[in-house]
Amino acid sequence: MAYYTDQERATIRAAAFGAVGLVSAAEPGHFDVFTEHLAASRALATAPTALHGILKVDRIPMAASTDRADVLASLEESARILAARSAEDLDAFREVIAHACVAAADAVGGVSDRENSAITEVRRAVGIG
């Protein structure tokens, strides 16, 4: 298991929840946010042990940044951090983030074109496709 500083852990956690927030914000709906975040948190909970400790929170952070540029930059930074420490952790991060974003988008009415676009941006930011 790779070691991550508190700052690195905070960056990775913010990126993960920011990605979910970005997808959720793609389709407006105040009450839908709760359902989408719940679906995403279930997906994030499936992360391997090394990442689970980083992503585990006591409550769903509803205030994660949804500023597109900030979220994408934090995802790219997280991918760099993980790549420098553990290729296995990077692969797991990519998989769990992609899964959480799809789960959030699909939670209310299926994946819309706008949500799909946000998912594509998230995937590119972490180095998928």
Side-chain angles (χ1 to χ4, degrees):
M1 184 171 135
Y3 171 78
Y4 299 97
T5 67
D6 289 342
Q7 181 59 46
E8 289 169 335
R9 294 167 68 85
T11 298
I12 294 165
R13 186 178 305 112
F17 289 105
V20 170
L22 189 65
V23 171
S24 186
E27 280 294 319
H30 181 71
F31 293 110
D32 293 348
V33 170
F34 298 109
T35 303
E36 292 166 346
H37 280 257
L38 183 58
S41 67
R42 286 186 188 125
L44 292 173
T46 67
T49 304
L51 287 178
H52 191 266
I54 295 172
L55 300 175
K56 186 175 185 322
V57 293
D58 293 331
R59 62 179 175 76
I60 300 170
M62 301 303 272
S65 175
T66 55
D67 178 80
R68 183 182 161 278
D70 288 346
V71 171
L72 296 176
S74 70
L75 286 163
E76 291 168 356
E77 178 63 18
S78 294
R80 283 191 292 273
I81 291 167
L82 290 158
R85 298 281 197 267
S86 167
E88 184 177 296
D89 288 354
L90 175 59
D91 289 342
F93 180 75
R94 287 173 170 158
E95 184 177 319
V96 76
I97 293 303
H99 181 61
C101 287
V102 170
D106 196 39
V108 179
V111 181
S112 73
D113 289 342
R114 287 188 287 194
E115 288 168 326
N116 195 47
S117 178
I119 291 168
T120 299
E121 287 185 305
V122 167
R123 291 174 57 88
R124 283 188 188 132
V126 297
I128 300 172

